[in-house]
């Protein structure tokens, strides 16, 4: 598979989606208000936290699809693995929907701090979020399959069309149906259902036909369970590291203040929009090269990826850090929004850049099937970040939490990359 072609397709796809976000986020705030936009931040947080129910299966599936390209699987075995994970996902989906529906009143009463939004509107929005999050579990199965199969050109083509429809349709619904958060989330749910249907169709058509129909197989899970268990631990620890600030701030800040933090996180996410296409292309390629035993080419690919990340992501980070205030002014055309958010943007952008430097070393570890280092390093990191957030946030607010994020990723760059490099890239 062409690595260059996949990188270009990923940049086009994710660049288009980033452009849509840049254009439409201020419009969402205009129609919904900053408090309702804070609920979109809550939705993003819940979606991320509930990925733990994935049990490490989605990243495992992506790796196994890449190994299939490298000759480690037959069409029958990879189809059985896919079908098995579909069944497991159905169980996770049911738990998500029921759990959110049963807890929505408690979340609104005892966790979120509402300013002006009616209680019943927020509860209803949380219930709709549960359905959308469930659908996105299925999205992720087929999304990771297409990425692992290195069908990233067709994946990005479909994704661009659907994301455009998602954004434009949401604005149309807010403008012509009702400017309410309920309408916004209902439209998101409709597009998520359509996305699942399209991605599933193209995933199965990208795998050669097998002798028999695919079926649920315990054996297929056993063959990848050790790696999946490591990924589940990494996922759990990563959630604690990346979401604990959002979780605490959603409790300690008003929904309006949380909206400002969400805005800064969204803009700083531009770094991952630049990084994502590179990681999405390099991860399956590294897995394929390791599965085929081509270690010399794997080392070359590693260095190309690391250099590409440093140059592209570093350039974007510098712009966001030094020009945060004017960027927010131009983008939102709201002086108060930019004044309340730009320092947060500077800190989060710096932390995101440092985090980005760790991506290629991390993906190479996963290609080797080595999850132990990430688990150990993240355990140490959790022991640092949780008490740090608990101490800093009540005293310094959102900016304090952002500074902890910078400190955490500084440690990753100085320690974890060095430890990974010593083991996985020996002279060939």
């Amino acid at each position: 598979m062409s690595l260059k072609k996949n990188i270009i397709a990923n940049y086009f796809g994710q660049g288009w989606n980033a452009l849509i976000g840049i254009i439409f986020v201020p419009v969402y705030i205009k129609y919904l208000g900053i408090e309702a936009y804070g609920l979109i931040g809550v939705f993003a947080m819940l979606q991320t936290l509930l990925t733990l129910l994935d049990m490490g299966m989605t990243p495992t599936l992506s790796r196994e699809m890449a190994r299939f390209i490298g000759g480690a699987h037959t069409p029958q075995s990879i189809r059985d693995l896919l079908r098995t994970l579909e069944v497991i996902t159905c169980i996770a989906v049911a738990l998500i929907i029921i759990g959110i529906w049963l807890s929505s009143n408690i979340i609104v009463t005892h966790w979120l701090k509402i300013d002006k939004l009616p209680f019943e509107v927020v509860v209803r929005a949380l219930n709709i979020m549960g359905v959308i999050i469930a659908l996105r579990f299925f999205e992720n199965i087929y999304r990771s399959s297409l990425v692992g199969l290195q069908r990233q050109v067709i994946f990005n083509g479909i994704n661009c069309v659907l994301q455009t429809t998602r954004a434009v349709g949401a604005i149309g619904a807010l403008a012509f149906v009702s400017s309410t958060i309920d309408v916004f989330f209902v439209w998101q749910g409709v597009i998520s259902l359509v996305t699942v249907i399209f991605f599933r169709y193209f995933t199965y058509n990208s795998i050669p036909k097998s002798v028999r129909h695919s079926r649920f197989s315990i054996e297929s899970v056993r063959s990848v369970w050790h790696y999946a268990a490591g990924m589940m631990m990494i996922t759990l620890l990563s959630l604690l590291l990346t979401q604990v600030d959002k979780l605490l701030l959603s409790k300690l800040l008003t929904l309006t203040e949380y909206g400002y933090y969400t805005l800064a996180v969204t803009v700083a996410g531009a770094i991952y929009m630049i990084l994502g296409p590179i990681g999405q292309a390099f991860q399956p390629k590294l897995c394929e090269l390791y599965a085929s035993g081509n270690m010399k080419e794997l080392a070359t690919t590693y260095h190309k990826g690391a250099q590409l990340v440093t140059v592209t992501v570093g350039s974007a980070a510098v712009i966001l850090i030094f020009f945060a205030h004017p960027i927010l002014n131009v983008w939102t055309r709201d002086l108060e929004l930019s004044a309340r958010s730009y320092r947060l943007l500077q800190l989060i952008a710096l932390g995101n850049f440092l985090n980005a430097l760790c991506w290629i070393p991390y993906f190479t570890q996963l290609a080797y099937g080595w999850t132990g280092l990430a688990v150990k390093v993240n355990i140490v990191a959790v022991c640092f970040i949780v008490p740090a957030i608990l101490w800093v946030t009540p005293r310094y607010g959102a900016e304090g939490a952002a500074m902890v994020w910078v400190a955490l990723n500084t440690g990753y760059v100085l320690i974890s990359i060095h430890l990974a490099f010593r083991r996985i890239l020996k002279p060939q």
Side-chain angles (χ1 to χ4, degrees):
M1 301 294 176
S2 172
L3 186 60
K4 184 182 295 185
K5 186 184 295 184
N6 283 337
I7 291 175
I8 293 171
N10 290 338
Y11 264 115
F12 177 80
Q14 296 193 26
W16 178 254
N17 293 336
L19 179 63
I20 289 174
I22 291 170
I23 294 171
F24 286 104
V25 167
V27 184
Y28 294 153
I29 295 174
K30 176 183 175 181
Y31 278 107
L32 295 171
I34 190 65
E35 185 179 13
Y37 183 72
L39 280 176
I40 298 177
V42 173
F43 166 69
M45 179 188 66
L46 286 174
Q47 181 175 303
T48 304
L49 289 174
L50 289 172
T51 54
L52 185 60
L53 290 176
D54 175 82
M55 297 183 294
M57 289 299 178
T58 298
T60 299
L61 180 60
S62 183
R63 177 177 183 261
E64 295 308 310
M65 289 291 180
R67 282 165 49 80
F68 167 66
I69 297 297
H73 280 284
T74 65
Q76 187 67 67
S77 66
I78 200 66
R79 279 177 170 264
D80 285 349
L81 178 61
L82 178 57
R83 178 54 52 84
T84 302
L85 296 189
E86 286 176 330
V87 174
I88 293 172
T89 300
C90 285
I91 299 171
V93 159
L95 291 173
I96 289 170
I97 294 175
I98 294 171
I100 291 182
W101 284 1
L102 291 177
S103 61
S104 57
N105 282 336
I106 298 172
I107 293 172
V108 178
T109 304
H110 299 290
W111 193 264
L112 299 178
K113 293 183 178 180
I114 303 171
D115 288 333
K116 298 176 182 177
L117 286 175
F119 177 88
E120 62 275 8
V121 168
V122 180
V123 169
R124 192 161 55 243
L126 284 171
N127 290 335
I128 301 171
M129 287 181 203
V131 176
I132 301 171
I133 292 170
L135 287 170
R136 291 195 176 177
F137 260 66
F138 280 106
E139 271 189 54
N140 288 337
I141 284 181
Y142 307 120
R143 187 185 299 267
S144 63
S145 295
L146 289 169
V147 169
L149 290 166
Q150 301 182 53
R151 298 296 305 276
Q152 294 169 30
V153 174
I154 192 169
F155 162 74
N156 281 288
I158 301 167
N159 200 41
C160 281
V161 173
L162 290 171
Q163 292 301 326
T164 303
T165 306
R166 187 189 297 272
V168 174
I171 296 300
L174 292 172
F176 300 108
V177 179
S178 177
S179 299
T180 61
I181 195 67
D182 300 33
V183 168
F184 175 86
F185 280 125
V186 166
W187 178 251
Q188 300 302 309
V190 170
I191 297 301
S192 288
L193 178 59
V194 173
T195 302
V196 168
I197 294 170
F198 272 93
F199 281 174
R200 185 181 190 279
Y201 173 81
F202 283 103
T203 295
Y204 274 99
N205 276 273
S206 299
I207 304 173
K209 298 292 184 183
S210 54
V211 177
R212 57 169 172 77
H213 290 297
S214 54
R215 65 190 182 192
F216 182 85
S217 169
I218 292 294
E219 186 57 38
S220 66
V221 175
R222 286 175 181 163
S223 65
V224 299
W225 178 247
H226 180 75
Y227 180 84
M231 288 306 304
M232 183 170 65
M233 280 298 300
I234 292 172
T235 301
L236 171 61
L237 295 168
S238 297
L239 287 176
L240 287 173
L241 293 170
T242 61
Q243 299 302 311
V244 69
D245 59 330
K246 301 173 185 64
L247 188 64
L248 288 172
L249 292 174
S250 68
K251 170 65 175 176
L252 298 172
L253 304 178
T254 66
L255 205 52
T256 299
E257 292 172 321
Y258 189 70
Y260 292 122
Y261 186 79
T262 299
L263 179 66
V265 170
T266 300
V267 180
I271 286 176
Y272 291 119
M273 292 176 189
I274 295 171
L275 174 65
I278 301 172
Q280 191 164 275
F282 273 85
Q283 182 183 15
K285 189 65 179 179
L286 290 166
C287 291
E288 177 193 343
L289 291 171
Y290 183 76
S292 62
N294 192 346
M295 306 308 292
K296 185 175 181 180
E297 181 63 24
L298 186 147
T300 300
T301 302
Y302 171 96
H303 288 296
K304 287 180 179 178
Q307 291 165 14
L308 187 59
V309 167
T310 302
V311 172
T312 56
V313 177
S315 301
V318 168
I319 292 171
L320 283 176
I321 292 168
F322 286 98
F323 301 99
H325 202 173
I327 287 172
L328 286 171
N329 268 333
V330 172
W331 183 47
T332 64
R333 299 182 181 180
D334 188 316
L335 294 177
E336 184 181 1
L337 270 178
S338 58
R340 296 282 293 272
S341 305
Y342 84 94
R343 291 189 185 279
L344 288 169
L345 173 56
Q346 291 174 322
L347 291 167
I348 296 170
L350 175 58
N352 286 358
F353 168 60
L354 294 171
N355 183 264
L357 296 178
C358 302
W359 273 40
I360 297 298
Y362 171 67
F363 288 149
T364 308
Q365 293 169 53
L366 298 187
Y368 276 66
W370 182 32
T371 59
L373 177 62
V375 171
K376 292 172 184 176
V377 169
N378 284 346
I379 288 174
V380 174
V382 167
C383 292
F384 159 75
I385 195 172
V386 172
I389 289 287
L390 290 174
W391 185 84
V392 167
T393 303
R395 292 168 173 78
Y396 302 103
E399 288 187 20
M403 285 187 281
V404 172
W405 174 241
V406 173
L408 172 69
N409 286 290
T410 300
Y412 277 140
V413 171
L414 295 177
I415 298 171
S416 66
I417 293 180
H418 171 70
L419 294 175
F421 192 86
R422 288 176 59 187
R423 171 169 171 177
I424 62 180
L425 288 178
K426 297 178 180 178
Q428 300 299 316

